[in-house]
Amino acid sequence: TGGEPLLQVKFLIELFSKLKKEGIHTCIDTSGMVALTDDIKKVLSLTDLVLLDIKHIDNEKCKNLVGKSNKLELEFARYLSENDIPIWIRQVLIPGYTDDEKDLLKLKDFIASLRSVQKVEILPYHDMGKYKWKALGFKYELENVPIPTDEDVQKAKETLGIS
């Protein structure tokens, strides 16, 4: 886990082409924060399922959270939908960052606009990678962020209309 597979798109095209010839199901776990180049479109045509993390539905909050706009990932989601590529949307629930009810309702509306979404998941934030940041000498930006409770997760699911 970790890393962006679509940064290795030429390799994925070769791999997925071979997997498809063998009848093997293909899946990409991605942030979707990539431009829709011809190579990206090619690998997506060979993909049976995309696990897509939506970092934040609000563009400005996304920039503050991950340092980048959400424009590419939302365009990516729309492309998947327009091309009937099955999607599982995943939202990491980070208290104080991605748990605002208005943002979750905006996310719900966006998801409803997509026709190939098969599943929506809430992934509770965890801080298991904190030690890696510290070992590398980096500041862990979410140092004081609490782990969401089961109630926090359930509330977000209810807001999104998922069980």
Side-chain angles (χ1 to χ4, degrees):
T1 63
E4 175 54 60
L6 293 176
L7 294 178
Q8 306 297 327
V9 70
K10 297 275 191 203
F11 170 77
L12 285 178
I13 291 169
E14 183 179 342
L15 175 65
F16 279 24
S17 294
K18 291 177 181 179
L19 293 172
K20 295 304 276 185
K21 285 180 186 173
E22 297 295 323
I24 298 172
H25 186 272
T26 57
C27 178
I28 293 177
D29 183 349
T30 181
S31 70
M33 287 191 169
V34 295
L36 290 166
T37 64
D38 288 342
D39 281 344
I40 294 293
K41 290 177 182 179
K42 174 67 177 169
V43 78
L44 291 175
S45 75
L46 299 166
T47 303
D48 295 311
L49 174 64
V50 174
L51 307 180
L52 180 63
D53 295 345
I54 302 287
K55 300 302 184 192
H56 204 297
I57 194 64
D58 180 275
N59 191 47
E60 289 306 311
K61 291 179 181 179
C62 187
K63 287 178 190 175
N64 290 334
L65 182 62
V66 299
K68 292 187 177 192
S69 166
N70 68 4
K71 182 179 178 219
L72 289 176
E73 70 184 336
L74 300 184
E75 286 176 8
F76 189 88
R78 286 195 270 296
Y79 179 84
L80 295 172
S81 176
E82 290 163 5
N83 289 277
D84 296 316
I85 299 168
I87 313 166
W88 289 6
I89 300 284
R90 300 179 319 164
Q91 171 75 66
V92 177
L93 188 67
I94 307 171
Y97 291 87
T98 62
D99 61 345
D100 182 88
E101 185 177 18
K102 290 177 189 170
D103 293 328
L104 290 170
L105 290 171
K106 189 175 172 183
L107 177 61
K108 180 180 180 181
D109 289 344
F110 177 73
I111 292 169
S113 76
L114 304 172
R115 66 178 185 224
S116 63
V117 174
Q118 295 182 338
K119 186 175 185 178
V120 178
E121 295 180 304
I122 292 291
L123 305 177
Y125 160 78
H126 62 77
D127 62 0
M128 291 188 289
K130 181 172 26 178
Y131 76 94
K132 290 181 188 177
W133 286 81
K134 291 183 177 181
L136 291 169
F138 296 123
K139 179 182 178 195
Y140 187 72
E141 296 294 336
L142 301 177
E143 181 69 42
N144 296 313
V145 173
I147 305 301
T149 64
D150 291 342
E151 293 79 22
D152 295 334
V153 172
Q154 188 57 39
K155 181 179 175 188
K157 286 181 176 182
E158 288 170 7
T159 302
L160 289 174
I162 60 174
S163 52

